[in-house]
Amino acid sequence: MKLTQTDIAALAGVPVATWRNWEQGRVSLDPAVRTLLRVLWREPDAVRRAMVA
């Protein structure tokens, strides 16, 4: 997606520290978060539109 950790954390609506913990496997993902990330990966523009609305 060519986004920085800061960019993707903002897009996902989480602190960058949380994103880093997920990315590095320090904290396991809740199933709802997994679903959000799957949507974010496949449809980033839809997520951007939803976050602005």
Side-chain angles (χ1 to χ4, degrees):
M1 291 176 49
K2 297 184 182 183
L3 296 172
T4 65
Q5 287 180 331
T6 302
D7 292 339
I8 202 150
L11 189 56
V14 298
V16 73
T18 298
W19 181 261
R20 287 181 183 139
N21 285 336
W22 290 341
E23 195 174 63
Q24 295 172 7
R26 285 186 234 157
V27 177
S28 62
L29 294 172
D30 179 91
V33 172
R34 285 186 191 278
T35 300
L36 171 64
L37 294 178
R38 195 172 295 123
V39 172
L40 179 62
W41 181 253
R42 293 180 182 164
E43 298 292 337
D45 292 332
V47 173
R48 284 185 186 102
R49 286 192 306 273
M51 296 299 282
V52 173

PDB file of all heavy atoms in Angstrom, residues 22-48:
ATOM      1  N   TRP A  22       0.975  -4.637  16.964  1.00  0.00           N
ATOM      2  CA  TRP A  22       0.309  -5.636  16.125  1.00  0.00           C
ATOM      3  C   TRP A  22       1.273  -6.161  15.084  1.00  0.00           C
ATOM      4  O   TRP A  22       1.373  -7.357  14.867  1.00  0.00           O
ATOM      5  CB  TRP A  22      -0.892  -5.036  15.411  1.00  0.00           C
ATOM      6  CG  TRP A  22      -2.061  -4.703  16.272  1.00  0.00           C
ATOM      7  CD1 TRP A  22      -2.336  -5.179  17.515  1.00  0.00           C
ATOM      8  CD2 TRP A  22      -3.124  -3.816  15.943  1.00  0.00           C
ATOM      9  NE1 TRP A  22      -3.510  -4.647  17.983  1.00  0.00           N
ATOM     10  CE2 TRP A  22      -4.016  -3.810  17.027  1.00  0.00           C
ATOM     11  CE3 TRP A  22      -3.418  -3.031  14.839  1.00  0.00           C
ATOM     12  CZ2 TRP A  22      -5.174  -3.052  17.035  1.00  0.00           C
ATOM     13  CZ3 TRP A  22      -4.567  -2.275  14.851  1.00  0.00           C
ATOM     14  CH2 TRP A  22      -5.445  -2.286  15.938  1.00  0.00           C
ATOM     15  N   GLU A  23       1.960  -5.229  14.417  1.00  0.00           N
ATOM     16  CA  GLU A  23       2.856  -5.603  13.330  1.00  0.00           C
ATOM     17  C   GLU A  23       3.984  -6.509  13.818  1.00  0.00           C
ATOM     18  O   GLU A  23       4.409  -7.420  13.103  1.00  0.00           O
ATOM     19  CB  GLU A  23       3.422  -4.315  12.712  1.00  0.00           C
ATOM     20  CG  GLU A  23       4.070  -4.498  11.372  1.00  0.00           C
ATOM     21  CD  GLU A  23       4.465  -3.177  10.761  1.00  0.00           C
ATOM     22  OE1 GLU A  23       5.319  -2.483  11.346  1.00  0.00           O
ATOM     23  OE2 GLU A  23       3.926  -2.830   9.703  1.00  0.00           O
ATOM     24  N   GLN A  24       4.462  -6.269  15.018  1.00  0.00           N
ATOM     25  CA  GLN A  24       5.578  -7.036  15.554  1.00  0.00           C
ATOM     26  C   GLN A  24       5.129  -8.258  16.354  1.00  0.00           C
ATOM     27  O   GLN A  24       5.953  -8.983  16.906  1.00  0.00           O
ATOM     28  CB  GLN A  24       6.464  -6.120  16.401  1.00  0.00           C
ATOM     29  CG  GLN A  24       7.118  -5.045  15.546  1.00  0.00           C
ATOM     30  CD  GLN A  24       7.848  -3.998  16.362  1.00  0.00           C
ATOM     31  OE1 GLN A  24       7.988  -4.113  17.571  1.00  0.00           O
ATOM     32  NE2 GLN A  24       8.318  -2.958  15.687  1.00  0.00           N
ATOM     33  N   GLY A  25       3.818  -8.486  16.419  1.00  0.00           N
ATOM     34  CA  GLY A  25       3.286  -9.668  17.073  1.00  0.00           C
ATOM     35  C   GLY A  25       3.317  -9.630  18.589  1.00  0.00           C
ATOM     36  O   GLY A  25       3.165 -10.662  19.239  1.00  0.00           O
ATOM     37  N   ARG A  26       3.513  -8.456  19.173  1.00  0.00           N
ATOM     38  CA  ARG A  26       3.531  -8.353  20.640  1.00  0.00           C
ATOM     39  C   ARG A  26       2.134  -8.462  21.238  1.00  0.00           C
ATOM     40  O   ARG A  26       1.989  -8.865  22.384  1.00  0.00           O
ATOM     41  CB  ARG A  26       4.154  -7.020  21.069  1.00  0.00           C
ATOM     42  CG  ARG A  26       5.636  -7.002  20.908  1.00  0.00           C
ATOM     43  CD  ARG A  26       6.206  -5.735  21.475  1.00  0.00           C
ATOM     44  NE  ARG A  26       6.986  -5.149  20.401  1.00  0.00           N
ATOM     45  CZ  ARG A  26       7.303  -3.897  20.275  1.00  0.00           C
ATOM     46  NH1 ARG A  26       6.897  -3.027  21.156  1.00  0.00           N
ATOM     47  NH2 ARG A  26       8.020  -3.478  19.272  1.00  0.00           N
ATOM     48  N   VAL A  27       1.143  -8.069  20.461  1.00  0.00           N
ATOM     49  CA  VAL A  27      -0.246  -8.101  20.916  1.00  0.00           C
ATOM     50  C   VAL A  27      -1.057  -8.822  19.850  1.00  0.00           C
ATOM     51  O   VAL A  27      -0.921  -8.530  18.661  1.00  0.00           O
ATOM     52  CB  VAL A  27      -0.798  -6.664  21.114  1.00  0.00           C
ATOM     53  CG1 VAL A  27      -2.253  -6.689  21.521  1.00  0.00           C
ATOM     54  CG2 VAL A  27       0.033  -5.910  22.135  1.00  0.00           C
ATOM     55  N   SER A  28      -1.878  -9.763  20.268  1.00  0.00           N
ATOM     56  CA  SER A  28      -2.701 -10.474  19.285  1.00  0.00           C
ATOM     57  C   SER A  28      -3.882  -9.602  18.866  1.00  0.00           C
ATOM     58  O   SER A  28      -4.350  -8.756  19.630  1.00  0.00           O
ATOM     59  CB  SER A  28      -3.185 -11.804  19.844  1.00  0.00           C
ATOM     60  OG  SER A  28      -3.987 -11.592  20.975  1.00  0.00           O
ATOM     61  N   LEU A  29      -4.334  -9.846  17.658  1.00  0.00           N
ATOM     62  CA  LEU A  29      -5.422  -9.057  17.100  1.00  0.00           C
ATOM     63  C   LEU A  29      -6.781  -9.634  17.470  1.00  0.00           C
ATOM     64  O   LEU A  29      -6.999 -10.841  17.377  1.00  0.00           O
ATOM     65  CB  LEU A  29      -5.310  -9.005  15.583  1.00  0.00           C
ATOM     66  CG  LEU A  29      -4.105  -8.274  15.020  1.00  0.00           C
ATOM     67  CD1 LEU A  29      -4.036  -8.483  13.520  1.00  0.00           C
ATOM     68  CD2 LEU A  29      -4.167  -6.814  15.345  1.00  0.00           C
ATOM     69  N   ASP A  30      -7.667  -8.765  17.841  1.00  0.00           N
ATOM     70  CA  ASP A  30      -9.065  -9.105  18.053  1.00  0.00           C
ATOM     71  C   ASP A  30      -9.656  -9.478  16.682  1.00  0.00           C
ATOM     72  O   ASP A  30      -9.258  -8.906  15.672  1.00  0.00           O
ATOM     73  CB  ASP A  30      -9.752  -7.861  18.631  1.00  0.00           C
ATOM     74  CG  ASP A  30     -11.211  -8.068  18.889  1.00  0.00           C
ATOM     75  OD1 ASP A  30     -11.558  -8.479  19.998  1.00  0.00           O
ATOM     76  OD2 ASP A  30     -11.999  -7.789  17.961  1.00  0.00           O
ATOM     77  N   PRO A  31     -10.597 -10.414  16.625  1.00  0.00           N
ATOM     78  CA  PRO A  31     -11.191 -10.776  15.326  1.00  0.00           C
ATOM     79  C   PRO A  31     -11.796  -9.590  14.572  1.00  0.00           C
ATOM     80  O   PRO A  31     -11.701  -9.523  13.344  1.00  0.00           O
ATOM     81  CB  PRO A  31     -12.264 -11.806  15.696  1.00  0.00           C
ATOM     82  CG  PRO A  31     -11.770 -12.411  16.966  1.00  0.00           C
ATOM     83  CD  PRO A  31     -11.085 -11.280  17.704  1.00  0.00           C
ATOM     84  N   ALA A  32     -12.388  -8.651  15.281  1.00  0.00           N
ATOM     85  CA  ALA A  32     -12.954  -7.471  14.618  1.00  0.00           C
ATOM     86  C   ALA A  32     -11.851  -6.627  13.975  1.00  0.00           C
ATOM     87  O   ALA A  32     -12.027  -6.085  12.881  1.00  0.00           O
ATOM     88  CB  ALA A  32     -13.754  -6.629  15.604  1.00  0.00           C
ATOM     89  N   VAL A  33     -10.712  -6.539  14.639  1.00  0.00           N
ATOM     90  CA  VAL A  33      -9.584  -5.787  14.093  1.00  0.00           C
ATOM     91  C   VAL A  33      -9.044  -6.501  12.859  1.00  0.00           C
ATOM     92  O   VAL A  33      -8.717  -5.857  11.858  1.00  0.00           O
ATOM     93  CB  VAL A  33      -8.480  -5.597  15.153  1.00  0.00           C
ATOM     94  CG1 VAL A  33      -7.244  -4.986  14.537  1.00  0.00           C
ATOM     95  CG2 VAL A  33      -8.985  -4.748  16.298  1.00  0.00           C
ATOM     96  N   ARG A  34      -8.979  -7.822  12.906  1.00  0.00           N
ATOM     97  CA  ARG A  34      -8.531  -8.576  11.728  1.00  0.00           C
ATOM     98  C   ARG A  34      -9.423  -8.276  10.525  1.00  0.00           C
ATOM     99  O   ARG A  34      -8.944  -8.098   9.409  1.00  0.00           O
ATOM    100  CB  ARG A  34      -8.560 -10.079  11.999  1.00  0.00           C
ATOM    101  CG  ARG A  34      -7.454 -10.559  12.856  1.00  0.00           C
ATOM    102  CD  ARG A  34      -7.518 -12.091  12.936  1.00  0.00           C
ATOM    103  NE  ARG A  34      -6.640 -12.581  13.953  1.00  0.00           N
ATOM    104  CZ  ARG A  34      -5.338 -12.771  13.787  1.00  0.00           C
ATOM    105  NH1 ARG A  34      -4.787 -12.511  12.645  1.00  0.00           N
ATOM    106  NH2 ARG A  34      -4.608 -13.215  14.782  1.00  0.00           N
ATOM    107  N   THR A  35     -10.718  -8.216  10.760  1.00  0.00           N
ATOM    108  CA  THR A  35     -11.661  -7.922   9.683  1.00  0.00           C
ATOM    109  C   THR A  35     -11.444  -6.516   9.151  1.00  0.00           C
ATOM    110  O   THR A  35     -11.397  -6.307   7.931  1.00  0.00           O
ATOM    111  CB  THR A  35     -13.107  -8.089  10.175  1.00  0.00           C
ATOM    112  OG1 THR A  35     -13.274  -9.448  10.602  1.00  0.00           O
ATOM    113  CG2 THR A  35     -14.108  -7.764   9.090  1.00  0.00           C
ATOM    114  N   LEU A  36     -11.296  -5.552  10.049  1.00  0.00           N
ATOM    115  CA  LEU A  36     -11.040  -4.178   9.618  1.00  0.00           C
ATOM    116  C   LEU A  36      -9.772  -4.108   8.777  1.00  0.00           C
ATOM    117  O   LEU A  36      -9.751  -3.464   7.719  1.00  0.00           O
ATOM    118  CB  LEU A  36     -10.915  -3.242  10.819  1.00  0.00           C
ATOM    119  CG  LEU A  36     -10.430  -1.827  10.492  1.00  0.00           C
ATOM    120  CD1 LEU A  36     -11.430  -1.090   9.612  1.00  0.00           C
ATOM    121  CD2 LEU A  36     -10.156  -1.049  11.766  1.00  0.00           C
ATOM    122  N   LEU A  37      -8.720  -4.762   9.202  1.00  0.00           N
ATOM    123  CA  LEU A  37      -7.462  -4.721   8.472  1.00  0.00           C
ATOM    124  C   LEU A  37      -7.574  -5.401   7.115  1.00  0.00           C
ATOM    125  O   LEU A  37      -6.964  -4.964   6.136  1.00  0.00           O
ATOM    126  CB  LEU A  37      -6.335  -5.337   9.306  1.00  0.00           C
ATOM    127  CG  LEU A  37      -5.982  -4.561  10.571  1.00  0.00           C
ATOM    128  CD1 LEU A  37      -4.901  -5.283  11.344  1.00  0.00           C
ATOM    129  CD2 LEU A  37      -5.569  -3.128  10.263  1.00  0.00           C
ATOM    130  N   ARG A  38      -8.361  -6.456   7.050  1.00  0.00           N
ATOM    131  CA  ARG A  38      -8.587  -7.124   5.769  1.00  0.00           C
ATOM    132  C   ARG A  38      -9.289  -6.172   4.796  1.00  0.00           C
ATOM    133  O   ARG A  38      -8.899  -6.056   3.627  1.00  0.00           O
ATOM    134  CB  ARG A  38      -9.425  -8.383   5.978  1.00  0.00           C
ATOM    135  CG  ARG A  38      -9.409  -9.326   4.810  1.00  0.00           C
ATOM    136  CD  ARG A  38     -10.092 -10.655   5.134  1.00  0.00           C
ATOM    137  NE  ARG A  38      -9.346 -11.378   6.160  1.00  0.00           N
ATOM    138  CZ  ARG A  38      -9.870 -11.779   7.330  1.00  0.00           C
ATOM    139  NH1 ARG A  38     -11.129 -11.540   7.623  1.00  0.00           N
ATOM    140  NH2 ARG A  38      -9.137 -12.422   8.200  1.00  0.00           N
ATOM    141  N   VAL A  39     -10.303  -5.455   5.285  1.00  0.00           N
ATOM    142  CA  VAL A  39     -11.003  -4.472   4.451  1.00  0.00           C
ATOM    143  C   VAL A  39     -10.045  -3.347   4.076  1.00  0.00           C
ATOM    144  O   VAL A  39     -10.007  -2.906   2.920  1.00  0.00           O
ATOM    145  CB  VAL A  39     -12.245  -3.914   5.175  1.00  0.00           C
ATOM    146  CG1 VAL A  39     -12.865  -2.757   4.397  1.00  0.00           C
ATOM    147  CG2 VAL A  39     -13.270  -5.012   5.405  1.00  0.00           C
ATOM    148  N   LEU A  40      -9.275  -2.884   5.034  1.00  0.00           N
ATOM    149  CA  LEU A  40      -8.308  -1.812   4.780  1.00  0.00           C
ATOM    150  C   LEU A  40      -7.317  -2.221   3.691  1.00  0.00           C
ATOM    151  O   LEU A  40      -7.002  -1.430   2.802  1.00  0.00           O
ATOM    152  CB  LEU A  40      -7.567  -1.473   6.074  1.00  0.00           C
ATOM    153  CG  LEU A  40      -6.491  -0.400   6.007  1.00  0.00           C
ATOM    154  CD1 LEU A  40      -7.093   0.929   5.591  1.00  0.00           C
ATOM    155  CD2 LEU A  40      -5.813  -0.265   7.364  1.00  0.00           C
ATOM    156  N   TRP A  41      -6.848  -3.457   3.732  1.00  0.00           N
ATOM    157  CA  TRP A  41      -5.886  -3.939   2.749  1.00  0.00           C
ATOM    158  C   TRP A  41      -6.506  -4.025   1.351  1.00  0.00           C
ATOM    159  O   TRP A  41      -5.899  -3.630   0.368  1.00  0.00           O
ATOM    160  CB  TRP A  41      -5.364  -5.310   3.176  1.00  0.00           C
ATOM    161  CG  TRP A  41      -4.347  -5.854   2.236  1.00  0.00           C
ATOM    162  CD1 TRP A  41      -4.526  -6.873   1.346  1.00  0.00           C
ATOM    163  CD2 TRP A  41      -2.999  -5.424   2.076  1.00  0.00           C
ATOM    164  NE1 TRP A  41      -3.377  -7.096   0.650  1.00  0.00           N
ATOM    165  CE2 TRP A  41      -2.416  -6.211   1.069  1.00  0.00           C
ATOM    166  CE3 TRP A  41      -2.227  -4.439   2.678  1.00  0.00           C
ATOM    167  CZ2 TRP A  41      -1.108  -6.054   0.668  1.00  0.00           C
ATOM    168  CZ3 TRP A  41      -0.916  -4.291   2.270  1.00  0.00           C
ATOM    169  CH2 TRP A  41      -0.372  -5.080   1.276  1.00  0.00           C
ATOM    170  N   ARG A  42      -7.746  -4.515   1.304  1.00  0.00           N
ATOM    171  CA  ARG A  42      -8.383  -4.742  -0.001  1.00  0.00           C
ATOM    172  C   ARG A  42      -9.050  -3.498  -0.569  1.00  0.00           C
ATOM    173  O   ARG A  42      -9.139  -3.352  -1.792  1.00  0.00           O
ATOM    174  CB  ARG A  42      -9.408  -5.864   0.119  1.00  0.00           C
ATOM    175  CG  ARG A  42      -8.756  -7.193   0.389  1.00  0.00           C
ATOM    176  CD  ARG A  42      -9.762  -8.307   0.499  1.00  0.00           C
ATOM    177  NE  ARG A  42      -9.071  -9.556   0.799  1.00  0.00           N
ATOM    178  CZ  ARG A  42      -9.661 -10.629   1.241  1.00  0.00           C
ATOM    179  NH1 ARG A  42     -10.962 -10.637   1.437  1.00  0.00           N
ATOM    180  NH2 ARG A  42      -8.965 -11.720   1.491  1.00  0.00           N
ATOM    181  N   GLU A  43      -9.572  -2.634   0.295  1.00  0.00           N
ATOM    182  CA  GLU A  43     -10.337  -1.464  -0.154  1.00  0.00           C
ATOM    183  C   GLU A  43      -9.923  -0.210   0.612  1.00  0.00           C
ATOM    184  O   GLU A  43     -10.732   0.409   1.315  1.00  0.00           O
ATOM    185  CB  GLU A  43     -11.836  -1.709   0.042  1.00  0.00           C
ATOM    186  CG  GLU A  43     -12.390  -2.875  -0.750  1.00  0.00           C
ATOM    187  CD  GLU A  43     -12.393  -2.622  -2.255  1.00  0.00           C
ATOM    188  OE1 GLU A  43     -12.388  -1.449  -2.673  1.00  0.00           O
ATOM    189  OE2 GLU A  43     -12.405  -3.609  -3.003  1.00  0.00           O
ATOM    190  N   PRO A  44      -8.668   0.216   0.491  1.00  0.00           N
ATOM    191  CA  PRO A  44      -8.201   1.364   1.273  1.00  0.00           C
ATOM    192  C   PRO A  44      -8.981   2.650   0.997  1.00  0.00           C
ATOM    193  O   PRO A  44      -9.228   3.436   1.910  1.00  0.00           O
ATOM    194  CB  PRO A  44      -6.729   1.510   0.892  1.00  0.00           C
ATOM    195  CG  PRO A  44      -6.593   0.781  -0.399  1.00  0.00           C
ATOM    196  CD  PRO A  44      -7.619  -0.309  -0.378  1.00  0.00           C
ATOM    197  N   ASP A  45      -9.424   2.862  -0.238  1.00  0.00           N
ATOM    198  CA  ASP A  45     -10.177   4.069  -0.538  1.00  0.00           C
ATOM    199  C   ASP A  45     -11.542   4.081   0.141  1.00  0.00           C
ATOM    200  O   ASP A  45     -12.000   5.124   0.604  1.00  0.00           O
ATOM    201  CB  ASP A  45     -10.331   4.255  -2.051  1.00  0.00           C
ATOM    202  CG  ASP A  45      -9.013   4.563  -2.719  1.00  0.00           C
ATOM    203  OD1 ASP A  45      -8.119   5.150  -2.053  1.00  0.00           O
ATOM    204  OD2 ASP A  45      -8.846   4.232  -3.911  1.00  0.00           O
ATOM    205  N   ALA A  46     -12.168   2.917   0.233  1.00  0.00           N
ATOM    206  CA  ALA A  46     -13.452   2.817   0.931  1.00  0.00           C
ATOM    207  C   ALA A  46     -13.283   3.141   2.411  1.00  0.00           C
ATOM    208  O   ALA A  46     -14.115   3.834   3.003  1.00  0.00           O
ATOM    209  CB  ALA A  46     -14.047   1.417   0.760  1.00  0.00           C
ATOM    210  N   VAL A  47     -12.190   2.673   3.007  1.00  0.00           N
ATOM    211  CA  VAL A  47     -11.919   2.969   4.416  1.00  0.00           C
ATOM    212  C   VAL A  47     -11.678   4.459   4.586  1.00  0.00           C
ATOM    213  O   VAL A  47     -12.197   5.077   5.518  1.00  0.00           O
ATOM    214  CB  VAL A  47     -10.749   2.136   4.949  1.00  0.00           C
ATOM    215  CG1 VAL A  47     -10.368   2.562   6.357  1.00  0.00           C
ATOM    216  CG2 VAL A  47     -11.082   0.657   4.907  1.00  0.00           C
ATOM    217  N   ARG A  48     -10.916   5.051   3.686  1.00  0.00           N
ATOM    218  CA  ARG A  48     -10.665   6.503   3.774  1.00  0.00           C
ATOM    219  C   ARG A  48     -11.975   7.280   3.721  1.00  0.00           C
ATOM    220  O   ARG A  48     -12.189   8.203   4.495  1.00  0.00           O
ATOM    221  CB  ARG A  48      -9.748   6.956   2.631  1.00  0.00           C
ATOM    222  CG  ARG A  48      -8.316   6.584   2.833  1.00  0.00           C
ATOM    223  CD  ARG A  48      -7.442   7.178   1.711  1.00  0.00           C
ATOM    224  NE  ARG A  48      -6.086   6.710   1.828  1.00  0.00           N
ATOM    225  CZ  ARG A  48      -5.548   5.752   1.081  1.00  0.00           C
ATOM    226  NH1 ARG A  48      -6.240   5.176   0.130  1.00  0.00           N
ATOM    227  NH2 ARG A  48      -4.302   5.388   1.263  1.00  0.00           N
TER     228      ARG A  48
END
